[in-house]
Amino acid sequence: MNSQHKKLAVLTSGGDAPGMNAALRSIVRVGVGHGLEIIAIRRGFKGLLLDEFMPLGPRDVSNIIQRGGTIIKTARSEEFKTPAGLQKAKENLERNKIEGLILIGGDGTFRGGGELAKVWPGQIIGVPGTIDNDVWGTAFTIGFDTAVNTAMEGIDKIRDTAESHERFFLVEVMGRHSGFIALEVGIASGAEEILMPEQRFEIREICDRLCRGRARGKASSIMVVAEGQETGGAMRIAKEMQRLSQIESRVVILGHLQRGGQPTAKDRVLATKLGAHAVEMFIRGAGQIMVGEVGGQLCTTPLEETWTKRKELDPFLLTLHPLLSS
């Protein structure tokens, strides 16, 4: 395919993730290097409907590889999900002569891309950018490593206070529907308990384990809780623990702190590779796919599989944690 004068658009959608800017930088510079015209769509699908198209060149993405967030902004759009919204998106893409669209985001973003593909014939390519790491088709998503490191640094500081005051702390991390952040940061920070949406648990059993630990001389403990716990999150769990066993604890909710900050080297390199691979797939004529990395190798996955298949937590870490926390 002759890439000269072809227009490739890119947008970031859904929650921001550290490394999105690194992916954008890679898409622009690799795309321009192949003779493409790169068009940024500001504010995600909302900007697609509002016709917020702007060309980007190599100098426009200078000094952004180290920045968190996304310089082209992100937003959610309920209108985009409607038939009228999809038709408007199609018309704007066609009027701007866009032949391919790179979506940087998570499974919700890719679902939107799947719906758009039903009315627009252009090439749609997903780049997995979400701190949750819950997208099928890639070992890691852009932003996950940074979010884990941010949460780990926070928990390390909390543990100092927990030990000084001989207290139990519940630390709530992001992950409404998945426990990838909770599991990884729990292992990395030596948490005594890790509570995730994928696993059922009994608060009474947790209280019993904490009490047994205290009897063995374990005066403080850290519990990592994914925000999506059906019991209502860390605040409710703490109240229930106190009701059942008189265990008093403190709660820290890290919240959106995990989304921001400078991306780690791992996230910058992953984002750069995936951005470049997305451009290469466009040049080869591929569409309705997501690029990813599995086993250290770049790969592609049908876009639909990114939300119809469920990514599982690391079974080895799940087995290992009870032994480490004893």
Side-chain angles (χ1 to χ4, degrees), residues 61-252:
V61 292
S62 295
N63 297 318
I64 67 168
I65 194 171
Q66 77 280 8
R67 292 173 58 181
T70 163
I71 65 166
I72 59 174
K73 312 301 181 187
T74 182
R76 304 184 191 278
S77 173
E78 291 302 316
E79 182 186 358
F80 176 77
K81 300 176 183 178
T82 66
L86 290 169
Q87 184 62 30
K88 187 186 293 185
K90 171 182 180 291
E91 292 170 358
N92 286 344
L93 288 165
E94 290 177 344
R95 184 171 56 257
N96 285 278
K97 296 181 171 56
I98 303 299
E99 297 177 64
L101 176 61
I102 294 178
L103 307 174
I104 306 175
D107 62 346
T109 298
F110 301 151
R111 284 174 187 263
E115 292 301 309
L116 180 60
K118 295 176 181 179
V119 300
W120 180 62
Q123 297 166 244
I124 297 177
I125 301 172
V127 173
T130 168
I131 66 170
D132 291 332
N133 198 40
D134 58 349
V135 177
W136 175 270
T138 187
F140 297 104
T141 58
I142 297 166
F144 173 67
D145 187 66
T146 305
V148 167
N149 277 277
T150 297
M152 181 188 69
E153 291 170 5
I155 292 174
D156 286 349
K157 292 177 172 64
I158 291 166
R159 189 175 285 282
D160 291 342
T161 294
E163 291 187 355
S164 297
H165 290 271
E166 298 184 316
R167 282 179 177 156
F168 295 129
F169 271 79
L170 283 81
V171 182
E172 185 175 292
V173 299
M174 282 188 157
R176 186 170 294 113
H177 304 294
S178 67
F180 285 94
I181 292 177
L183 178 59
E184 190 124 340
V185 77
I187 294 291
S189 60
E192 281 70 24
E193 299 284 344
I194 306 174
L195 308 184
M196 299 163 285
E198 293 88 344
Q199 293 189 319
R200 295 187 63 83
F201 65 92
E202 295 293 335
I203 295 179
R204 172 75 71 180
E205 293 178 4
I206 292 171
C207 292
D208 290 343
R209 285 197 295 270
L210 292 174
C211 288
R212 288 196 299 270
R214 178 156 283 184
R216 296 194 305 269
K218 204 173 185 66
S220 66
S221 291
I222 298 288
M223 295 174 57
V224 174
V225 182
E227 64 179 338
Q229 279 300 327
E230 62 184 27
T231 50
M235 292 295 293
R236 187 169 178 181
I237 292 172
K239 290 179 181 178
E240 188 68 6
M241 285 173 58
Q242 186 159 7
R243 185 185 71 82
L244 290 173
S245 60
Q246 305 306 307
I247 292 178
E248 184 182 0
S249 58
R250 297 290 185 270
V251 175
V252 177

